[in-house]
């Protein structure tokens, strides 16, 4: 698979990987791996879980406040940009109010603009049987994505 899109600032910035988590781990590029950050959707079912998982994956500083604004600030400070590979993405914010998904996507869009010209991408892994639910959720949030 050609992973060169991870170095690009072009849209779309959201990519759906339909397959097992282990297959994504095996397929992920070794070159440029320092830019790759892994997150687990099963740990991000709530806003607090999302903040904790993102802070750990991106190694946010101790003063990270766990708010949407602080998430944007910390992600926007990543000097190299990056790619976030979210395993079990269909579980992302499943136990949170629907507006949290809208807010998250707005924050991530702002981060991508803040980081330019550095790249910023999300790769959402989902088991094939759950793909339709994830895609339906992305469409409800008007998120442009591409299938990998």
């Amino acid at each position: 698979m050609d992973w060169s899109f991870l170095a690009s600032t072009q849209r779309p910035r959201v990519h759906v990987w339909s397959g097992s988590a282990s297959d994504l781990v095996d397929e992920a590029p070794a070159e440029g791996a320092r830019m790759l950050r892994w997150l687990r959707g099963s740990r991000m079912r709530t806003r607090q879980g999302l903040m904790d998982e993102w802070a750990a994956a991106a190694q946010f500083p101790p003063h990270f406040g766990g708010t949407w604004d602080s998430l944007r600030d910390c992600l926007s400070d990543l000097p190299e940009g990056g790619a976030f590979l979210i395993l079990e993405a269909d579980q992302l914010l499943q136990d949170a109010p629907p507006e949290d998904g809208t807010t998250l996507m707005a924050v991530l869009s702002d981060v991508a603009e803040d980081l330019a010209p550095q790249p910023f991408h999300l790769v959402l892994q989902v088991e094939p049987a759950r793909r339709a639910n994830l895609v339906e959720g992305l469409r409800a949030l008007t998120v442009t994505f591409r299938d990998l």
Side-chain angles (χ1 to χ4, degrees):
M1 168 160 194
D2 180 11
W3 289 89
S4 62
F5 69 90
L6 292 178
S8 168
T9 58
Q10 300 300 309
R11 290 188 172 128
R13 295 183 183 113
V14 176
H15 314 275
V16 175
W17 171 276
S18 184
S20 72
S22 62
D23 285 345
L24 177 57
V25 170
D26 291 344
E27 285 287 327
E31 186 175 316
R34 69 178 181 79
M35 276 184 38
L36 299 179
R37 293 178 177 93
W38 296 90
L39 298 105
R40 296 160 293 182
S42 62
R43 301 273 175 109
M44 297 189 294
R45 294 183 63 90
T46 64
R47 184 175 69 179
Q48 184 61 53
L50 179 138
M51 297 295 175
D52 292 345
E53 183 76 357
W54 220 298
Q59 299 180 351
F60 289 165
H63 65 269
F64 172 63
T67 65
W68 294 117
D69 287 339
S70 61
L71 178 66
R72 178 183 177 177
D73 291 345
C74 287
L75 288 174
S76 295
D77 285 343
L78 296 173
E80 71 280 0
F84 292 86
L85 291 81
I86 302 176
L87 305 175
E88 306 162 322
D90 57 304
Q91 294 187 43
L92 186 63
L93 294 175
Q94 285 299 298
D95 297 333
E99 58 268 14
D100 281 356
T102 302
T103 303
L104 173 62
M105 288 302 153
V107 166
L108 297 177
S109 178
D110 289 345
V111 167
E113 297 302 320
D114 294 346
L115 282 170
Q118 298 301 323
F120 182 79
H121 292 275
L122 299 176
V123 176
L124 307 177
Q125 177 271 326
V126 64
E127 294 289 335
R130 297 186 187 130
R131 182 188 176 283
N133 290 339
L134 177 66
V135 167
E136 181 181 322
L138 291 172
R139 288 188 176 137
L141 294 170
T142 65
V143 173
T144 303
F145 66 93
R146 79 173 191 141
D147 286 309
L148 296 176

